[in-house]
Amino acid sequence: MDVAGSLPSVGYLGGTGPAGSALAARLASVGYPARIGSRSRERGEEVAAELRTKWANRNLDVTGGDNLFAASSDVIVLATPWDSAATTVTELSAQLRGKIVVTMANALVRVGKEFQPLIPPRGSIAAHVQAAIPESRVVAAFQHLPAVELGALDHDVDSDVLICSDDPEATKTVSDMVSRIAGCRPLNAGLLSNALAIEALTAVLLQLNVRYKTRVAPRFTGID
């Protein structure tokens, strides 16, 4: 990782959706090679090709394949829907052993006009994933970055990014990644147990988006 000035590759499990592909494009634009995975190798390759074409002027290092291909990367981002997150990492536990695995999903349901958070097993998706792959270093991050803004590479992203993990080195690695995204500030939000509150906050942010017809992202004052 980060040898001779190079940055670690980032693999995106289930990375063909809006959030995963947007983060892949954004991090690739600042030097992190992206390896987009999917249950289907063809789908992963298709989305990677779409990103390269869309941002042809940026020469993004983005390739695609299946989730096994993505899992060979240095750092892993788990971008699957929340209810398949633990299953996905369990199937790839051998490939993920010892690696940083970033969870960016939120367990939410829409009831009428309101978004409501769900409580997954072990309290949060991040904790549930950590229990499924105890030999990996799980980090909760990126849950609150709006996918549309994240994927618009011609604009900076104006947001703080809360990061939770029980592994200080993993927190630092992800913080370094966030700090390279123009407009983003990494904030160490403590241990992985705090991911419950952070994941649930997304329901509030989505409600604000609907009510005020915007795309909100959190900014915290009073921190130098």
Side-chain angles (χ1 to χ4, degrees), residues 97-161:
R97 186 175 294 118
K99 294 185 178 181
I100 296 171
V101 177
V102 181
T103 67
M104 61 183 302
N106 304 286
L108 303 173
V109 64
R110 188 164 187 171
V111 179
K113 296 182 179 180
E114 298 288 322
F115 289 96
Q116 296 181 4
L118 300 175
I119 306 300
R122 300 185 182 271
S124 69
I125 298 166
H128 190 42
V129 168
Q130 182 67 87
I133 46 173
E135 296 182 79
S136 298
R137 298 177 288 162
V138 173
V139 179
F142 299 114
Q143 296 99 324
H144 303 322
L145 295 184
V148 172
E149 302 300 324
L150 191 60
L153 302 187
D154 47 353
H155 298 289
D156 290 348
V157 179
D158 182 19
S159 181
D160 289 334
V161 178

Side-chain angles (χ1 to χ4, degrees), residues 4 31 34 40-41 82 88 103 112 115 127 193 208 223:
S40 161
R41 175 181 60 81
W82 71 269
T88 299
T103 67
F115 289 96
S193 57
L208 291 171
I223 301 175

Side-chain angles (χ1 to χ4, degrees), residues 34-37 41 43-46 48-49 52 62-66 69:
R35 309 292 178 252
I36 295 179
R41 175 181 60 81
R43 179 59 180 157
E45 292 174 342
E46 178 184 8
R52 292 194 303 269
V62 180
T63 53
D66 59 15
F69 164 76

